[in-house]
């Protein structure tokens, strides 16, 4: 495992922990898109079904189980435990506009027309756009809490680091996965405006606001 993948995984884990702590400590899920969290839960579920069929390493298994369990814990906190604080009016992005095209694309463009492979491909495509409901929600409300922006920054950093991971693996291992790379590029591009605002505002102590 190279340093880019390790730091990318840690950044991803940090994002999940930041979000869970934010909800639990504030006893509120205000400003958080439940739809994005449902999509991420779907991403991890479809990607890590190989837990039932193969063992790669203890690290790999533990991280997969953490991602799955934390994603469903987040959905539980939003929809059940702290449902009264959930802002469903602003979380209005239509998930089917993402899930249906992504499902169709995963059937058409994949490495192998097999169930697990199609589900893995679906998860890769879906992850690249799963953050859109959250970004759409922020654009509708016009601003985001600092903790939420830290969560988004860690997610974007995770994806950017994975791009470097793929470059490393191509040069040193001869590994190249066009589907994962293209999806990763799409996801990173979606974070570009957010990264700029994060650096210019949040890190200077200003509240992040986006145009409605």
């Amino acid at each position: 495992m190279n340093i880019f993948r390790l730091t990318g995984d840690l950044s991803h884990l940090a994002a999940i922990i930041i979000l869970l702590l934010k909800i639990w400590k504030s006893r509120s899920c205000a400003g958080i898109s439940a739809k994005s969290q449902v999509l991420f839960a779907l991403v991890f579920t479809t990607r890590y079904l190989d837990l039932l069929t193969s063992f790669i390493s203890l690290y790999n298994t533990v991280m997969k189980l953490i991602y799955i369990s934390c994603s469903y814990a987040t959905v539980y906190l939003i929809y059940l435990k702290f449902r009264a604080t959930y802002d469903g009016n602003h979380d209005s992005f239509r998930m089917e506009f993402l899930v249906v095209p992504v499902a169709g694309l995963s059937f058409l463009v994949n490495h192998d027309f097999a169930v697990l492979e199609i589900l893995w491909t679906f998860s890769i495509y879906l992850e690249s756009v799963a953050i859109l409901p959250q970004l759409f929600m922020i654009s509708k409300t016009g601003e985001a809490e600092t903790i939420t922006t830290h969560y988004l920054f860690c997610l974007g950093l995770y994806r950017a680091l994975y791009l470097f991971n793929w470059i490393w693996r191509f040069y040193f291992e001869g590994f190249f996965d066009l589907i994962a790379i293209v999806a990763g590029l799409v996801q990173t591009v979606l974070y570009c405006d957010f990264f700029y605002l994060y650096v210019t505002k949040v890190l200077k102590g200003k509240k992040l606001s986006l145009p409605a």
Side-chain angles (χ1 to χ4, degrees):
M1 180 186 299
N2 62 70
I3 188 63
F4 297 114
R5 178 179 176 184
L6 178 60
T7 52
D9 286 346
L10 293 177
S11 179
H12 195 182
L13 184 60
I16 294 172
I17 293 174
I18 286 171
L19 186 65
L20 282 172
L21 287 178
K22 184 269 182 192
I23 296 174
W24 189 257
K25 293 183 71 174
S26 67
R27 317 297 286 181
S28 170
C29 55
I32 298 174
S33 168
K35 293 183 177 180
S36 272
Q37 297 309 310
V38 168
L39 292 177
F40 281 124
L42 184 57
V43 165
F44 297 136
T45 301
T46 53
R47 182 175 302 172
Y48 299 143
L49 286 174
D50 62 346
L51 284 169
L52 303 174
T53 61
S54 61
F55 176 80
I56 298 175
S57 68
L58 180 61
Y59 171 84
N60 184 275
T61 298
V62 169
M63 292 299 284
K64 288 177 179 180
L65 291 174
I66 289 175
Y67 291 150
I68 294 172
S69 58
C70 286
S71 65
Y72 280 98
T74 304
V75 171
Y76 164 77
L77 292 177
I78 295 174
Y79 278 115
L80 295 176
K81 192 168 184 64
F82 303 122
R83 183 176 179 82
T85 65
Y86 168 54
D87 185 7
N89 291 328
H90 286 119
D91 192 16
S92 56
F93 195 97
R94 300 281 294 275
M95 287 193 295
E96 60 268 30
F97 289 166
L98 300 177
V99 174
V100 174
V102 162
L105 184 61
S106 64
F107 273 95
L108 295 173
V109 183
N110 52 65
H111 295 309
D112 181 32
F113 201 75
V115 174
L116 288 181
E117 185 64 31
I118 291 173
L119 289 174
W120 177 87
T121 306
F122 170 80
S123 76
I124 294 296
Y125 292 151
L126 185 60
E127 185 183 19
S128 70
V129 294
I131 200 61
L132 281 176
Q134 179 67 67
L135 297 178
F136 183 73
M137 186 178 186
I138 293 176
S139 71
K140 287 194 69 175
T141 58
E143 60 184 25
E145 295 181 16
T146 301
I147 295 298
T148 306
T149 60
H150 291 335
Y151 158 72
L152 290 172
F153 178 79
C154 285
L155 271 186
L157 182 61
Y158 139 70
R159 181 45 61 192
L161 286 167
Y162 254 65
L163 291 179
F164 287 106
N165 163 60
W166 290 323
I167 294 173
W168 175 282
R169 294 190 66 185
F170 175 73
Y171 280 102
F172 293 96
E173 301 175 17
F175 176 83
F176 182 78
D177 189 327
L178 184 60
I179 289 177
I181 291 174
V182 171
L185 284 171
V186 170
Q187 188 174 0
T188 305
V189 167
L190 290 178
Y191 284 96
C192 284
D193 282 346
F194 174 81
F195 279 150
Y196 172 77
L197 291 171
Y198 184 89
V199 171
T200 58
K201 291 189 176 183
V202 177
L203 294 185
K204 294 181 179 179
K206 299 178 181 179
K207 194 168 186 177
L208 177 68
S209 59
L210 297 175

